[in-house]
Amino acid sequence: MNSTPTDTDPGTGAGLGAETATAALALADDALILSHRLGEWAGHAPELEEDVALANIALDLLGQARILYTLVGDEDELAYLREERAFRNLQLVEQPNGDFAHTIARQLYFSTYQRLLYGRLATGDGPFAALAAKAVKEVDYHQDHAEQWTLRLGDGTAESHERMERACTALWRFTGEMFQPVGDGDGLDGVDRQELAESWLSSVTAVLRRATLTVPEGPRSGAWTAGAGRQGLHTESFGRMLAEMQHLHRSHPGASW
Amino acid sequence: METTAAAREAAFDTAVAADERIEPRDWMPEAYRASLVRQMAQHAHSEIIGMQPEANWITRAPSLRRKAILMAKVQDEAGHGLYLYSAAETLGTSRDELLDKLHAGRQKYSSIFNYPTLTWADVGAIGWLVDGAAITNQVPLCRCSYGPYARAMVRICKEESFHQRQGYESLLALSQGTPAQHEMAQDAVNRWWWPSLMMFGPPDDESAHSAQSMIWKIKRHSNDELRQRFVDICVPQAEALGLTLPDPDLKWNEERGQHDFGAIDWNEFREVLKGNGPCNEARISQRRRAHEEGAWVREAATAYAAKHSGDDSGGGSDAAGEVTA
């Protein structure tokens, strides 16, 4: 948002510094890709209330993504015309929906991170403060929705417990990436990632314990675990997701919709 | 006893004739109740089956703005389903019961949703024509004699009118876009026009439930009247869109002050109704699958609520329902 010439990166339309633009893109991609995955649930949810709720969350995330993209450039160019390797989202958010337990575990991990991150950004005076102040209210609800379902599935029936346990474990290895830097520099207003990681772990641990679930113990970071989405390295299903998302837009170059 | 029953019936008839609302606790003839349940269930089912053809394009919407609009629209439809199932519950029929009947093929939904959405322009055509026809049908229902249904329809019609406008606007963008986009829009209108006219139901002289529903003020206008109204609304809109309607017999009749239009293929209508439309099987299978695959989730919520009914952890079985704002 800073328009002084010295801070202007020629590569961005809105005069953001390069590091801030990288961070904006990373946050926008997280929101867009998770929104897209949640949109895949439409008409498939376990009950009508969840069709409404998952669409609600998807719409909030899409709204966040659109504001963030606009800070960087043209929203549709950024969403539809970049190749897979140019996307900066976490690998966590691109993971396929799986069963409802996987979707909820993904929501719990991500919305807890997003709530903590946006809570911190909202109290600063950086370029994301205004957006974060609005988004944090939405994300509070996302986190609560995920938490309520984690409790119901974890402490529901034997089957739901087992499914939720499996989902939490399967996605655990994607959670370390949330606390890695978003680019070469630090575009996130100096948010203390170590502290963020600790708050996240204690918050998620508390929910999992209340839900009678085991806190997964597998690795979350290190060269051989998942987690290079911020560098544009994604998982196999992501390319197919993008192909579906982008094909119509790309089939009509220059068209308006 | 007989005089009491006769008096109740007379009071009901008088109330309906005087345009008063019948409320859930009021006495009503069993046939009136059954007729309402049938109609409201079919309407609710149409909302939730109707999510499918449009949700088919959420993941491919060609701009973020269109993606957001489409997602909001499909979400509204789930919401409409919720209001309508709740309204039907006031007549003593649970949502589960109605869903079971839908899944077993014992209750119907609007036949229009048995047609496929083949291109992006179909999303616009559904908004303009299908939602347009639905509004024409539904606005009079806001004055339906049964209170909960009438009130649900007031909310629904407001949202439907937004849906119709977005569809029109989306088609306009296509029609005025590149030649390929224009062609896509015209093709979609060609495919959706006739099925939309069928949405008003069979001609008046063949309509099974119409006469009684009119007396009960569940219905206010005949099928043919509403169909004519819809055609008259669409003709100038099609012109403004720069698109044609696929009916060589469509022309203004000065004498009637209405448009004449060609013969509807009622054979196609009956076939689709019987289950032989292009998507009948796919729509109902997807609905059943979602329901069956979600069973363990609903069971978990029920089990959790039972375990925690005494505490205040906020995880009651209806907690998911709090998010429908």
Side-chain angles (χ1 to χ4, degrees), chain A:
Chain A
M1 300 296 277
N2 193 329
S3 61
T4 55
T6 48
D7 282 345
T8 302
D9 176 359
T12 66
L16 287 184
E19 286 174 5
T20 308
T22 304
L25 212 48
L27 300 183
D29 289 347
D30 283 350
L32 174 69
I33 301 308
L34 186 55
S35 166
H36 184 95
R37 284 297 190 204
L38 291 173
E40 293 173 355
W41 271 104
H44 297 270
E47 59 186 14
L48 215 38
E49 283 82 354
E50 282 311 296
D51 269 314
V52 175
L54 295 174
N56 221 348
I57 296 168
L59 277 167
D60 285 344
L61 290 167
L62 183 53
Q64 293 165 15
R66 295 182 66 191
I67 294 170
L68 286 159
Y69 283 137
T70 308
L71 296 177
V72 181
D74 178 86
E75 59 174 20
D76 287 335
E77 261 179 59
L78 290 164
Y80 290 99
L81 298 176
R82 277 182 301 153
E83 300 293 327
E84 179 175 342
R85 294 282 276 105
F87 276 80
R88 290 288 178 262
N89 55 282
L90 300 165
Q91 290 183 355
L92 174 67
V93 296
E94 77 204 29
Q95 294 312 302
N97 288 336
D99 65 5
F100 190 68
H102 278 76
T103 291
I104 291 300
R106 192 180 62 197
Q107 282 305 113
L108 179 72
Y109 291 165
F110 182 73
S111 61
T112 302
Y113 157 75
Q114 217 191 7
R115 178 172 61 85
L116 294 167
L117 176 65
Y118 281 3
R120 280 152 184 73
L121 291 174
T123 58
D125 56 1
F128 301 119
L131 163 97
K134 178 177 176 286
V136 80
K137 293 180 198 140
E138 299 167 349
V139 175
D140 264 347
Y141 154 66
H142 304 174
Q143 200 273 337
D144 186 55
H145 172 264
E147 180 174 328
Q148 294 305 324
W149 271 113
T150 302
L151 295 175
R152 287 191 207 112
L153 299 183
D155 194 13
T157 62
E159 180 182 5
S160 71
H161 179 87
E162 196 197 319
R163 283 178 184 261
M164 195 60 195
E165 191 95 358
R166 217 181 302 144
C168 288
T169 303
L171 293 171
W172 187 252
R173 65 201 189 91
F174 296 103
T175 59
E177 189 187 2
M178 298 188 288
F179 312 103
Q180 307 289 317
V182 292
D184 296 335
D186 179 9
L188 283 180
D189 305 348
V191 168
D192 180 346
R193 282 202 183 67
Q194 186 57 38
E195 186 267 334
L196 193 68
E198 284 162 14
S199 300
W200 183 90
L201 188 59
S202 80
S203 173
V204 166
T205 300
V207 175
L208 294 179
R209 290 214 170 115
R210 274 180 66 207
T212 71
L213 293 161
T214 319
V215 180
E217 286 177 347
R220 300 164 59 214
S221 60
W224 47 275
T225 60
R230 295 289 190 228
Q231 284 79 52
L233 285 169
H234 296 280
T235 49
E236 286 183 345
S237 67
F238 186 55
R240 278 192 299 280
M241 196 209 97
L242 278 190
E244 182 174 344
M245 184 176 96
Q246 295 182 335
H247 102 271
L248 177 58
H249 184 97
R250 285 178 180 252
S251 301
H252 297 263
S256 323
W257 301 93

Side-chain angles (χ1 to χ4, degrees), chain B residues 3 17 31 38 69 75-76 121 158 171 213 223 230 263 275 283:
Chain B
T3 40
R38 182 186 55 78
I69 292 172
Q75 185 194 30
D76 283 349
K158 280 184 194 156
L171 273 186
S213 289
N223 294 352
F230 178 68
R283 299 293 185 238

Side-chain angles (χ1 to χ4, degrees), chain B residues 113-146:
Chain B
F113 301 120
N114 291 318
Y115 290 87
T117 47
L118 302 178
T119 73
W120 168 250
D122 290 34
V123 172
I126 287 183
W128 177 44
L129 294 173
V130 175
D131 293 328
I135 292 170
T136 309
N137 261 330
Q138 290 171 6
V139 165
L141 289 175
C142 298
R143 296 187 295 126
C144 159
S145 59
Y146 187 58

